[in-house]
Amino acid sequence: GPEGPCAAAGPAPKPRASMAQILPSAEEMEDPSRIEAGYNLLGEPYPSLIAYLHVHWGLLRADLLLPLAQAVHEYKRGPGTRKGAQTEARVGAYRHVRQEGLYFHHKGIMHCLSFMPEVETNWDAGQALKCSNLLCLSCDNFHTCHFAVVVGARSEHLEN
Protein backbone atom coordinates (compact mmCIF):
# COMPACT_ATOMS: atom_id res chain seq x y z
CA GLY A 1 0.00 0.00 0.00
CA PRO A 2 1.00 3.65 -0.19
CA GLU A 3 3.62 4.61 2.37
CA GLY A 4 5.43 7.79 3.21
CA PRO A 5 7.21 9.64 5.98
CA CYS A 6 4.02 11.47 7.03
CA ALA A 7 1.67 8.50 6.80
CA ALA A 8 -0.20 7.14 9.80
CA ALA A 9 -2.38 4.06 10.10
CA GLY A 10 -6.07 4.63 10.65
CA PRO A 11 -9.52 4.39 9.13
CA ALA A 12 -10.57 6.07 5.91
CA PRO A 13 -12.92 9.04 6.25
CA LYS A 14 -16.61 8.49 5.70
CA PRO A 15 -17.24 8.57 1.94
CA ARG A 16 -18.91 11.77 0.77
CA ALA A 17 -21.91 11.72 -1.50
CA SER A 18 -19.65 13.42 -4.02
CA MET A 19 -15.95 14.15 -3.98
CA ALA A 20 -16.81 17.35 -5.87
CA GLN A 21 -17.51 19.23 -2.60
CA ILE A 22 -14.27 21.17 -2.31
CA LEU A 23 -15.51 24.27 -0.51
CA PRO A 24 -16.21 23.97 3.20
CA SER A 25 -19.72 23.83 4.58
CA ALA A 26 -20.99 26.44 7.05
CA GLU A 27 -20.54 23.85 9.82
CA GLU A 28 -16.91 23.25 8.83
CA MET A 29 -16.20 26.99 8.81
CA GLU A 30 -17.80 27.34 12.25
CA ASP A 31 -15.87 24.37 13.66
CA PRO A 32 -12.71 23.45 11.66
CA SER A 33 -12.44 20.14 13.55
CA ARG A 34 -15.34 18.94 11.37
CA ILE A 35 -13.05 18.93 8.31
CA GLU A 36 -12.22 15.26 8.05
CA ALA A 37 -8.87 14.34 6.57
CA GLY A 38 -8.70 10.59 7.15
CA TYR A 39 -5.49 8.65 7.50
CA ASN A 40 -3.07 7.22 4.99
CA LEU A 41 -2.69 3.46 5.44
CA LEU A 42 0.73 2.05 6.31
CA GLY A 43 1.85 -1.49 5.66
CA GLU A 44 -1.49 -2.68 4.32
CA PRO A 45 -3.34 -2.30 1.05
CA TYR A 46 -6.43 -0.16 0.66
CA PRO A 47 -9.58 -2.25 0.34
CA SER A 48 -10.34 -0.64 -3.04
CA LEU A 49 -9.28 2.06 -5.44
CA ILE A 50 -12.31 4.09 -4.34
CA ALA A 51 -11.18 3.90 -0.70
CA TYR A 52 -7.70 5.08 -1.72
CA LEU A 53 -9.16 8.00 -3.72
CA HIS A 54 -11.46 9.03 -0.84
CA VAL A 55 -8.59 9.06 1.65
CA HIS A 56 -6.31 11.11 -0.58
CA TRP A 57 -9.11 13.44 -1.63
CA GLY A 58 -9.79 14.09 2.07
CA LEU A 59 -6.10 14.72 2.79
CA LEU A 60 -5.76 17.20 -0.09
CA ARG A 61 -9.04 18.93 0.84
CA ALA A 62 -7.94 19.27 4.47
CA ASP A 63 -4.55 20.70 3.38
CA LEU A 64 -6.42 23.37 1.42
CA LEU A 65 -9.21 24.19 3.88
CA LEU A 66 -7.88 23.76 7.41
CA PRO A 67 -5.57 26.82 7.48
CA LEU A 68 -8.34 29.03 6.06
CA ALA A 69 -11.09 27.68 8.33
CA GLN A 70 -8.86 27.90 11.42
CA ALA A 71 -7.91 31.51 10.61
CA VAL A 72 -11.56 32.52 10.13
CA HIS A 73 -12.48 30.70 13.35
CA GLU A 74 -9.71 32.53 15.27
CA TYR A 75 -10.71 35.85 13.75
CA LYS A 76 -14.38 35.37 14.69
CA ARG A 77 -13.47 34.50 18.27
CA GLY A 78 -11.31 37.56 18.75
CA PRO A 79 -12.24 40.63 16.68
CA GLY A 80 -10.88 43.68 18.43
CA THR A 81 -8.65 41.59 20.70
CA ARG A 82 -4.92 41.01 20.58
CA LYS A 83 -5.46 37.49 19.22
CA GLY A 84 -7.83 38.85 16.57
CA ALA A 85 -5.24 41.48 15.54
CA GLN A 86 -2.53 38.80 15.34
CA THR A 87 -4.78 36.66 13.15
CA GLU A 88 -5.54 39.64 10.89
CA ALA A 89 -1.84 40.35 10.41
CA ARG A 90 -0.97 36.68 9.86
CA VAL A 91 -3.67 35.81 7.34
CA GLY A 92 -4.33 39.18 5.77
CA ALA A 93 -7.61 40.80 6.69
CA TYR A 94 -8.60 43.51 4.24
CA ARG A 95 -11.06 46.36 4.61
CA HIS A 96 -13.03 48.43 2.12
CA VAL A 97 -13.33 45.56 -0.36
CA ARG A 98 -15.14 46.68 -3.50
CA GLN A 99 -15.93 45.03 -6.79
CA GLU A 100 -14.34 47.07 -9.57
CA GLY A 101 -15.18 44.89 -12.54
CA LEU A 102 -16.84 41.72 -13.73
CA TYR A 103 -15.39 39.69 -16.58
CA PHE A 104 -16.63 36.60 -18.39
CA HIS A 105 -13.81 34.17 -19.06
CA HIS A 106 -13.75 30.69 -20.57
CA LYS A 107 -12.90 29.36 -17.07
CA GLY A 108 -15.79 31.20 -15.41
CA ILE A 109 -16.78 34.59 -14.07
CA MET A 110 -13.90 36.74 -12.86
CA HIS A 111 -14.31 39.61 -10.40
CA CYS A 112 -11.79 42.44 -10.10
CA LEU A 113 -11.65 43.62 -6.48
CA SER A 114 -10.05 46.57 -4.74
CA PHE A 115 -9.26 46.59 -1.02
CA MET A 116 -7.15 48.15 1.73
CA PRO A 117 -4.88 45.98 3.89
CA GLU A 118 -4.83 46.82 7.60
CA VAL A 119 -1.04 46.47 7.79
CA GLU A 120 1.72 47.44 5.36
CA THR A 121 2.27 44.50 3.04
CA ASN A 122 5.24 43.32 0.99
CA TRP A 123 3.27 41.81 -1.89
CA ASP A 124 6.30 40.20 -3.55
CA ALA A 125 7.28 38.30 -0.38
CA GLY A 126 3.76 37.52 0.87
CA GLN A 127 1.78 34.38 0.16
CA ALA A 128 -1.79 35.58 0.77
CA LEU A 129 -2.67 36.57 -2.79
CA LYS A 130 -0.63 34.09 -4.79
CA CYS A 131 -2.29 32.57 -7.84
CA SER A 132 -4.63 29.66 -7.01
CA ASN A 133 -4.97 30.53 -3.28
CA LEU A 134 -8.44 30.11 -1.81
CA LEU A 135 -9.91 33.25 -0.22
CA CYS A 136 -12.84 33.59 2.15
CA LEU A 137 -14.76 36.84 1.64
CA SER A 138 -17.32 38.29 4.03
CA CYS A 139 -18.97 41.61 4.80
CA ASP A 140 -20.66 40.48 8.04
CA ASN A 141 -17.80 39.20 10.22
CA PHE A 142 -17.89 35.77 8.51
CA HIS A 143 -21.48 34.93 9.38
CA THR A 144 -21.85 34.59 5.61
CA CYS A 145 -18.84 33.39 3.61
CA HIS A 146 -18.12 33.60 -0.07
CA PHE A 147 -15.12 31.88 -1.61
CA ALA A 148 -12.84 32.96 -4.42
CA VAL A 149 -9.66 31.69 -6.02
CA VAL A 150 -6.87 34.16 -6.81
CA VAL A 151 -6.19 34.49 -10.52
CA GLY A 152 -3.78 36.98 -12.02
CA ALA A 153 -2.89 39.03 -8.93
CA ARG A 154 0.26 40.85 -9.97
CA SER A 155 2.33 42.85 -7.51
CA GLU A 156 2.28 45.97 -9.70
CA HIS A 157 -1.53 46.04 -9.37
CA LEU A 158 -1.42 45.31 -5.64
CA GLU A 159 0.85 48.28 -4.93
CA ASN A 160 -1.85 50.74 -6.03
Side-chain angles (χ1 to χ4, degrees):
E3 295 183 21
C6 298
K14 293 176 236 161
R16 298 184 211 304
S18 167
M19 286 197 305
Q21 182 186 344
I22 295 173
L23 298 178
S25 66
E27 293 81 18
E28 289 172 321
M29 288 302 290
E30 190 64 37
D31 180 6
S33 69
R34 290 180 174 224
I35 297 174
E36 296 182 29
Y39 300 95
N40 198 6
L41 296 179
L42 281 179
E44 62 182 282
Y46 283 89
S48 68
L49 176 61
I50 296 299
Y52 174 84
L53 292 174
H54 274 286
V55 167
H56 289 276
W57 172 258
L59 291 170
L60 288 170
R61 184 176 183 270
D63 279 349
L64 174 69
L65 298 181
L66 275 171
L68 182 66
Q70 288 168 343
V72 168
H73 186 70
E74 280 178 32
Y75 178 85
K76 285 176 71 171
R77 291 182 64 205
T81 67
R82 184 169 166 248
K83 181 146 181 115
Q86 289 171 342
T87 300
E88 282 185 40
R90 183 172 51 82
V91 300
Y94 306 104
R95 304 279 189 256
H96 310 293
V97 178
R98 291 189 332 257
Q99 183 175 357
E100 299 291 337
L102 179 67
Y103 305 95
F104 296 95
H105 188 269
H106 71 279
K107 292 185 178 182
I109 298 172
M110 295 175 58
H111 300 267
C112 183
L113 304 176
S114 67
F115 53 86
M116 297 294 294
E118 286 296 306
V119 296
E120 191 168 322
T121 304
N122 179 348
W123 297 111
D124 289 323
Q127 296 296 312
L129 295 177
K130 293 292 184 191
C131 190
S132 77
N133 277 8
L134 181 66
L135 305 179
C136 182
L137 308 172
S138 178
C139 60
D140 61 2
N141 205 32
F142 297 102
H143 295 291
T144 305
C145 296
H146 302 281
F147 297 94
V149 175
V150 176
V151 177
R154 294 188 297 268
S155 61
E156 63 267 16
H157 292 133
L158 294 171
E159 291 297 328
N160 298 326

